[in-house]
Amino acid sequence: MEKRDLAAGPQLNRRRFIGGLVGGGTALAGVTSALSLISLSGGGTAAAATATTALTIPPLLSPTTTDGVDVYTLDMQTGTHQVISGVTSSSAGFNGSYLGPTIKVANGDSVRMDVTNNLGADTTVHWHGAHVPAKVDGGPQVAFASGETWSPAFTINQEAATLWYHPHALGTTAKQVSQGLAGMLIVDDDSDTSAALPSEYGVDDIPIILQCLASSAAGDVKYDVTGYRTSGLVFPVLVNGVNADSTTFTFAATKRRIRLRFLNASLSDIITIQRSDGATLTQVATEQGYLTSATEVSTIRLVAGSRAEVVIDAADAPTIQAVITTGWIAGGSGTYPILSITDNSSDTPADLPSTLNTITRYDTSGFTARTITLGQSGATMLINGVAGTTEAAMEANMIMTTVGAKEIWTIKNSTQLEHSFHLHDVPFQVISINGTAASGVDLGWKDTVEVIGTGTVVIAMEFTDYADDTYMYMLHCHLAQHEDEGMMAGLMVTAS
Ligand code: C2O
Ligand code: CU
């Protein structure tokens, strides 16, 4: 394999330094903006892709079934992987050296996840977007040591959605996720919409896991303030774990209608999905379920941790682009043609159902109101003034609610930085964004939402099910460094 010249400039260093990600006071801000300017000279827009290769699709994990329980076995292990083509990086994955298999479950399934930690470090695994009891949610309280197996068992209790799984231990989430510990978790259900949409994994139902990393040219993946301050960084973009910097992946569709499930598994970057020909995408789902109807959108903006589903007509033979913008500094960083679909189909799919879902919008008049302030003090990131870097701090700063509570939260960003607000346990509705009532696809159920610098997002949710007075859920920024640096609080849902 040809080894590329990693010092070669624009095409490889095509993205800006992730300026501002580390936040910080005046001195630190000075450092990051200086670095932004330096790398800007080598940054800019991606070169046109020069190669094509067939899209890699993560394997589907088959369970073993015992007494009606589907048992999924995940082995967290270290290894090596080429996040930059031709360069070996230390990596980690589930059942392999990078990323993890896709897990597909259905509403009502009884499942058990047998997760073995062979990382040589403490870890835990969170089922991002799953509505499960706090004890099995995989937050920092249930971290387990290398050599141990954690076996949470739960019942799938939610509508069809694209979820994911990743580590969530205190202070190590950014590191472990950046090493490759992430996988897709698909929830299916018996709705008419699920029956009507493509659902044959790897055939017409395709995961697209997007990652933007920062690395030394030698392949040392960076994930924290110290790492981001080093010089000579490159910023690989990966699709399903494979470097996409100068490659467009191809998918020859054998079915005319293709469903794509996009996941932004990056530590911080914002990824906008669009078609290269400027035509619209047909979005059918947000993070927590189907939209009320298929919605034509020109772009889909995914902040770190968020997902969206679209259906594609293969006959259009579209090329899907990912537009990468970094951190909180607005401005173009690169447009990558990531996926080119060709049509090998001979079927004629039925029309999409005109109604995909019923979403009853909350009347929030009687809801309990809270304000959640995202703040910072120097390089320490805060929620409601407290850095959630220890369990004690998170407990002291815990949001306490009860099963059945209906709440309206004002998420107030008191920083200049971009944040990606994520709530565990239950889906939420976005009520307003920076004072404007939610509309369009923002009316879909979500679990992760962008909060721009100094912006305010109002969300509403109901805490159905699962009382616990020992284990907490989390609410946090999904920019993984911000989470590790303290922008995380506990949420305890006790009996009413
Ligand atoms: Cu995907 Cu609490 O995180
Ligand atoms: Cu943040």
Side-chain angles (χ1 to χ4, degrees), residues 110-469:
S110 294
V111 304
R112 195 178 81 218
M113 307 296 192
D114 284 353
V115 189
T116 300
N117 175 1
N118 283 310
L119 298 175
D122 288 1
T123 194
T124 183
V125 177
H126 168 55
W127 322 104
H128 179 131
H131 177 49
V132 296
K135 188 179 180 177
V136 295
D137 187 48
Q141 277 174 302
V142 299
F144 55 108
S146 194
E148 289 183 2
T149 297
W150 178 57
S151 296
F154 48 89
T155 301
I156 306 301
N157 180 20
Q158 61 194 108
E159 62 184 79
T162 300
L163 316 182
W164 62 303
Y165 61 96
H166 63 76
H168 213 307
L170 277 179
T172 58
T173 297
K175 178 177 184 180
Q176 294 185 349
V177 173
S178 72
Q179 287 177 327
L181 289 162
M184 193 172 274
L185 173 60
I186 295 174
V187 178
D188 195 5
D189 66 12
D190 61 6
S191 64
D192 292 344
T193 299
S194 291
L197 289 176
S199 61
E200 203 178 335
Y201 184 80
V203 175
D204 59 11
D205 186 354
I206 311 296
I208 305 289
I209 301 173
L210 298 159
Q211 291 170 287
C212 304
L213 298 176
S215 173
S216 74
D220 184 17
V221 175
K222 309 298 185 185
Y223 52 84
D224 63 5
V225 179
T226 313
Y228 289 139
R229 281 178 177 170
T230 54
S231 57
L233 295 181
V234 294
F235 301 99
V237 172
L238 282 73
V239 176
N240 291 343
V242 183
N243 184 288
D245 291 347
S246 55
T247 303
T248 299
F249 299 101
T250 57
F251 182 77
T254 55
K255 294 285 181 61
R256 174 91 182 253
R257 179 176 292 142
I258 300 297
R259 177 183 193 167
L260 301 177
R261 299 173 185 264
F262 293 102
L263 158 63
N264 183 352
S266 303
L267 298 190
S268 69
D269 302 69
I270 294 167
I271 302 178
T272 301
I273 306 298
Q274 62 187 29
R275 275 174 59 159
S276 63
D277 59 6
T280 55
L281 291 160
T282 306
Q283 186 171 350
V284 295
T286 47
E287 281 96 20
Q288 283 284 326
Y290 298 126
L291 293 163
T292 53
S293 58
T295 305
E296 295 301 311
V297 293
S298 51
T299 58
I300 298 175
R301 184 172 165 94
L302 298 174
V303 285
S306 65
R307 295 88 63 206
E309 297 179 32
V310 302
V311 292
I312 297 281
D313 182 346
D316 292 351
T319 293
I320 306 294
Q321 295 177 330
V323 181
I324 314 293
T325 41
T326 56
W328 61 284
I329 296 177
S333 297
T335 298
Y336 305 93
I338 53 167
L339 179 65
S340 166
I341 294 172
T342 55
D343 183 13
N344 282 356
S345 71
S346 53
D347 62 322
T348 307
D351 287 346
L352 284 175
S354 56
T355 298
L356 301 179
N357 201 358
T358 304
I359 299 177
T360 306
R361 294 291 293 173
Y362 289 133
D363 169 3
T364 59
S365 45
F367 281 33
T368 303
R370 291 181 201 272
T371 299
I372 309 288
T373 302
L374 309 177
Q376 75 180 109
S377 167
T380 303
M381 307 304 284
L382 312 167
I383 287 187
N384 293 342
V386 176
T389 48
T390 63
E391 258 177 55
M394 280 193 298
E395 264 168 52
N397 192 35
M398 197 151 61
I399 307 287
M400 297 293 298
T401 189
T402 54
V403 168
K406 297 176 177 181
E407 305 205 358
I408 180 164
W409 292 8
T410 300
I411 316 295
K412 213 173 147 10
N413 184 355
S414 70
T415 77
Q416 302 291 326
L417 310 177
E418 169 92 23
H419 301 295
S420 169
F421 181 83
H422 171 49
L423 175 66
H424 291 209
D425 183 21
V426 290
F428 56 75
Q429 292 182 3
V430 177
I431 305 300
S432 67
I433 300 172
N434 304 322
T436 303
S439 62
V441 297
D442 289 332
L443 298 173
W445 289 107
K446 291 180 68 67
D447 60 41
T448 305
V449 67
E450 177 177 15
V451 190
I452 63 166
T454 70
T456 297
V457 175
V458 179
I459 63 174
M461 76 294 298
E462 179 175 0
F463 293 98
T464 54
D465 317 300
Y466 310 137
D468 197 309
D469 53 16

